[in-house]
Amino acid sequence: MKKELEDTQVALEASHKVIAGLTEISLRMSKKIERMKVKKQKVKTNHEECHQKFQARIHEAEDSMQAQHLLIEALMDEKDSLLQTIHGLQEANNAPAPFDGDWEEEPEEEPEEEEIEDIPLGEGEIDDE
């Protein structure tokens, strides 16, 4: 009976050690899970901030493009108005139209190539060709 009691005591101590070890492992895992949750939340927050900044930059670019488009349209209208004024003044003064749309471009001159004289190879010279 004493032997059985000792065996039970040894088994009980071993069981307590296993339970203590499993509890420690469980606590470590819980802490690790919490750190991972915090990290995941930081990544998510960072991603959302980056996304918002990116969307704001896209919106700024679109606004800038729209403003440029409106400016171009205004400049085109102004150009048309100035051309009409010029044509009106020319007609009033019976002058020829300088802006008839037929621009004459001067042909590009090709540079003359300098001719290289053939120099005969002498003895001992190396032909690199």
Side-chain angles (χ1 to χ4, degrees):
M1 180 125 164
K2 188 173 183 180
K3 176 73 172 146
E4 277 183 33
L5 186 59
E6 286 177 8
D7 290 343
T8 304
Q9 185 72 26
V10 168
L12 187 59
E13 286 176 8
S15 187
H16 283 299
K17 286 181 182 179
V18 168
I19 290 171
L22 291 173
T23 302
E24 185 178 332
I25 290 171
S26 175
L27 287 174
R28 281 191 215 150
M29 290 178 70
S30 293
K31 288 179 183 178
K32 189 171 186 174
I33 289 169
E34 284 303 313
R35 285 192 305 266
M36 290 172 70
K37 285 179 181 178
V38 168
K39 186 177 180 180
K40 180 181 177 183
Q41 184 59 41
K42 285 181 182 178
V43 168
K44 183 179 179 184
T45 301
N46 188 32
H47 174 75
E48 289 172 355
E49 287 174 5
C50 288
H51 181 73
Q52 289 173 352
K53 288 177 183 178
F54 188 66
Q55 288 298 102
R57 291 164 102 186
I58 289 172
H59 187 68
E60 283 178 26
E62 288 173 344
D63 289 348
S64 175
M65 288 173 57
Q66 181 66 26
Q68 289 173 1
H69 180 73
L70 293 173
L71 181 61
I72 289 170
E73 284 182 357
L75 290 171
M76 297 279 289
D77 291 343
E78 182 68 19
K79 180 196 80 153
D80 291 342
S81 173
L82 289 172
L83 285 174
Q84 285 178 354
T85 302
I86 290 170
H87 286 290
L89 290 172
Q90 288 171 341
E91 286 177 6
N93 293 324
N94 294 321
F99 302 114
D100 58 2
D102 295 333
W103 293 93
E104 292 183 20
E105 292 186 21
E106 294 182 23
E108 286 187 28
E109 293 182 21
E110 295 188 23
E112 294 179 21
E113 293 184 23
E114 294 180 24
E115 291 187 27
I116 301 174
E117 295 179 28
D118 288 334
I119 302 172
L121 294 174
E123 265 187 58
E125 290 185 21
I126 299 173
D127 185 3
D128 288 334
E129 292 180 15

